[in-house]
Amino acid sequence: MPMVMCKQTHLLNIPPGGGLNLQLLRLPPQKEKVVVLMGATGTGKSKLSIDLATRFHGEIVNSDKIQVYEGLDIATNKITEAEKRGVPHHLLGTVNPNSNFTAANFTKSASLAIKSISNRERLPIIAGGSNSYIEALVESENYECCFLWVDVSIPVLCSFVSDRVDRMVEAGMVDEVRKTFNPSSDYSRGIKTAIGVPEFDRYFRTEALLNKQARAYLLREVVDEVKRNTRKLVRRQLENIYRLRNVKGWKLHRLDATQMFRKQGREAEEAWERMVAGPSFGIVSRFLHNVGPEGYGNTAAVKWAAGAAKGMAMAAAGH
């Protein structure tokens, strides 16, 4: 796979005899190119980030405000080592779980990661559902961004995330969260704010006092609460995405993954390639090469090239 150059160099051939204004030879500062994956929880952002990273020689910077913390891999639904397929990840499970990692903290850490990735001539890919983190980063740093929005119809997605909670419980989420339980826990900071952690507080406080039937009933109640809160999160995340698009004017390329969620096996993968992966490859390729109807061209570079051409024309007319 060819190496992606995230920083561009513009060369200008100077005709014999000179005559050009040297000011025209001063290149505008080139913004670092960054791909930003957005979408509600469960839509397939991690899957697409891996597809893009393997295609475009990229590395991933996690922008999920819960997955930045170390621990609770099941409850926070972190991507597994096998799913990473060897792609480097930054800010994933690296922060002290008891700390309060703010949007400002994320902006500072993510910008350092992006600089490191770009300096190694790889493509930075920001992926995660925390729009507050993404908004803070984009508005604080001078990047040229390509925004991809992975979307799934709300009824289909809400059904999927509810089923996903059941799979997380089957995978051992209850025991995982129990190991971190503390009667004096502060659920307002760090990893303890994750959906699936505070909901279990009442269960862990009383399970030893209940018989088997009562425990099972309470567990079902708590799991249902986790599902409800996850569905509420989906709607809040979508509201923020609509705000960024409709109020702030962010240009988001929407990729509808609904068909993949309605199918299974090979048909699901074919739907993903056709509706999400394939279109995203085209969008990112045009973004990296400054071509196509999306208008991704670097405005400063275009103005510089136009000025240079005008200067050459004037110089030729003067000889």
Side-chain angles (χ1 to χ4, degrees):
M1 194 62 60
M3 190 171 289
V4 172
M5 299 294 294
C6 295
K7 292 185 177 180
Q8 300 172 328
T9 302
H10 297 271
L11 301 179
L12 180 66
N13 292 322
I14 302 176
L20 281 178
N21 184 342
L22 292 180
Q23 286 294 112
L24 296 176
L25 300 180
R26 295 180 180 176
L27 298 179
Q30 298 301 301
K31 298 179 181 179
E32 290 165 311
K33 286 179 176 287
V34 176
V35 172
V36 181
L37 295 189
M38 306 174 68
T41 184
T43 53
K45 296 182 299 299
S46 295
K47 178 180 175 64
L48 182 57
S49 69
I50 297 296
D51 289 345
L52 290 170
T54 54
R55 177 94 172 200
F56 294 103
H57 203 61
E59 297 185 16
I60 298 166
V61 180
N62 167 56
S63 60
D64 185 295
K65 65 171 60 177
I66 294 300
Q67 292 184 354
V68 297
Y69 295 110
E70 180 183 12
L72 293 180
D73 292 355
I74 300 173
T76 61
N77 199 43
K78 288 188 180 75
I79 187 172
T80 66
E81 289 299 321
E83 291 169 335
K84 289 179 184 177
R85 289 159 52 189
V87 174
H89 282 63
H90 304 262
L91 296 180
L92 182 66
T94 59
V95 177
N96 186 310
N98 298 314
S99 65
N100 189 29
F101 198 70
T102 65
N105 297 141
F106 171 77
T107 296
K108 182 177 180 180
S109 299
S111 62
L112 290 174
I114 291 170
K115 175 68 71 175
S116 172
I117 295 167
S118 295
N119 286 344
R120 287 181 280 109
E121 299 182 345
R122 298 173 70 93
L123 176 64
I125 301 172
I126 313 298
S130 297
N131 299 312
S132 59
Y133 273 14
I134 293 173
E135 186 174 4
L137 176 67
V138 169
E139 296 190 347
S140 299
E141 303 296 328
N142 192 24
Y143 298 132
E144 185 177 357
C145 297
C146 172
F147 297 101
L148 301 178
W149 167 21
V150 187
D151 195 23
V152 177
S153 72
I154 290 182
V156 172
L157 182 57
C158 284
S159 176
F160 172 79
V161 296
S162 292
D163 292 342
R164 189 178 69 175
V165 171
D166 288 331
R167 292 193 296 272
M168 291 162 68
V169 171
E170 292 172 3
M173 182 176 74
V174 179
D175 288 336
E176 180 188 62
V177 176
R178 182 187 285 109
K179 291 176 183 177
T180 68
F181 173 67
N182 185 324
S184 60
S185 288
D186 179 1
Y187 294 110
S188 66
R189 60 185 292 117
I191 203 168
K192 291 295 181 72
T193 63
I195 294 176
V197 177
E199 292 89 346
F200 275 98
D201 181 88
R202 61 188 176 117
Y203 178 76
F204 296 142
R205 288 179 186 274
T206 60
E207 62 176 330
L209 306 176
L210 303 175
N211 60 37
K212 184 177 180 179
Q213 184 177 2
R215 280 201 307 272
Y217 180 81
L218 180 57
L219 179 60
R220 284 196 300 272
E221 276 194 343
V222 170
V223 171
D224 285 343
E225 184 181 3
V226 173
K227 292 179 180 180
R228 285 195 300 274
N229 289 338
T230 304
R231 293 193 294 267
K232 290 178 182 177
L233 173 64
V234 165
R235 289 180 169 84
R236 288 198 305 271
Q237 290 172 323
L238 286 173
E239 287 173 359
N240 275 320
I241 289 173
Y242 294 144
R243 176 182 60 83
L244 293 173
R245 183 189 65 178
N246 300 334
V247 178
K248 293 217 164 184
W250 285 24
K251 183 174 183 179
L252 309 180
H253 297 272
R254 180 177 176 271
L255 301 156
D256 190 347
T258 303
Q259 289 303 314
M260 186 198 75
F261 285 78
R262 287 177 170 159
K263 300 181 183 297
Q264 294 181 345
R266 182 176 178 180
E267 288 187 345
E269 285 302 317
E270 289 175 351
W272 175 263
E273 291 295 326
R274 184 176 65 256
M275 304 299 295
V276 181
S280 71
F281 292 161
I283 293 168
V284 172
S285 181
R286 290 191 293 272
F287 166 68
L288 295 175
H289 294 93
N290 297 314
V291 296
E294 282 74 14
Y296 278 129
N298 185 301
T299 304
V302 171
K303 288 182 178 178
W304 177 85
K310 182 178 179 181
M312 282 190 283
M314 294 175 62
H319 283 280

